[in-house]
Amino acid sequence: MIIVTSNKGKYREYKEILGGHFNLKLMLMRYPEEQLDTIEKVAERSVYYLSGIVNDDFFIDDSGLFIEAFKGFPGVYSSYVNKTLGNEGILRLMEGVSNRTAEFRTCIAYYDGKLNIFTGKVQGTISETARGKNGFGFDPIFIPSGHKLTYAEMALEKKNSLSHRYRAGKAFLKFLTKKAI
Ligand code: IMP
């Protein structure tokens, strides 16, 4: 099983989420991500692009942070916003905003001659300050519901036991296990 990504953090997480069941190989590369209106559509386009390049079954992960007070922004623009505003920029935008509800979403798009989509979501809140050193991206500012720690303050195993990526991965695993029977 191949994951195509330029993000080693995602690879590390999938190694744990899927690793016990499948031998996961990393194809470290960037690919075009069109700015469409849902992460599923973005992932679908990228998969069709990559299907002409990768000679084996593979999957990609398209994820995003959706902040309720900003009507879902940054959403499909998460990567650009992470690079430009960063976590400090988001915290500044949220100064004085009382509704700190947010959602992390992952879309796994798996190609085995056909496109298969698996999604996972986790509700949470945006923290008041950036906290923690683990993980990547928005991890220091996202607190999953029912917890006090940000993703970045959790051990990787803990994040992987409850995250949006874990939930999408669980649906993906179920599919792969059925397919293998
Ligand atoms: P991508 O387009 O799926 O690579 O991700 C969009 C943005 O969200 C990137 O800046 C990632 O670093 C960030 N991101 C994706 N997944 C996570 C996560 O699990 N935690 C924190 N940030 C993430």
Side-chain angles (χ1 to χ4, degrees), residues 41-121:
K41 287 185 198 162
V42 175
E44 188 177 329
R45 280 295 167 86
S46 301
V47 157
Y48 284 129
Y49 169 81
L50 286 167
S51 66
I53 295 176
V54 186
N55 295 321
D56 205 343
D57 295 359
F58 69 92
F59 73 96
I60 60 168
D61 165 312
D62 202 68
S63 299
L65 178 66
F66 296 74
I67 300 176
E68 194 172 277
F70 300 155
K71 299 192 166 24
F73 177 84
V76 292
Y77 304 104
S78 292
S79 179
Y80 182 69
V81 167
N82 191 250
K83 267 184 251 151
T84 51
L85 294 177
N87 290 331
E88 291 306 325
I90 296 218
L91 292 177
R92 232 171 293 131
L93 283 180
M94 293 215 64
E95 273 170 23
V97 177
S98 56
N99 176 10
R100 304 190 74 87
T101 305
E103 188 172 274
F104 240 123
R105 296 184 200 157
T106 281
C107 169
I108 294 174
Y110 170 57
Y111 189 76
D112 59 356
K114 282 201 306 265
L115 174 71
N116 306 273
I117 296 276
F118 308 92
T119 55
K121 291 179 187 179

Side-chain angles (χ1 to χ4, degrees), residues 9-10 12-18 61 63-64 103-108 118-124 135-136 138-139 142-145 147 149-152 154-172:
K10 285 184 186 174
R12 222 168 289 135
E13 293 188 7
Y14 279 112
K15 240 169 63 176
E16 196 174 297
I17 295 167
L18 306 175
D61 165 312
S63 299
E103 188 172 274
F104 240 123
R105 296 184 200 157
T106 281
C107 169
I108 294 174
F118 308 92
T119 55
K121 291 179 187 179
V122 165
Q123 285 275 332
F136 62 93
F138 300 112
D139 280 348
F142 185 78
I143 306 171
S145 294
H147 296 267
L149 301 180
T150 65
Y151 271 162
M154 296 178 175
L156 185 64
E157 305 80 64
K158 181 75 184 170
K159 179 186 174 192
N160 282 343
S161 72
L162 57 90
S163 75
H164 50 298
R165 183 159 295 109
Y166 162 73
R167 290 186 175 176
K170 210 166 102 177
F172 183 30

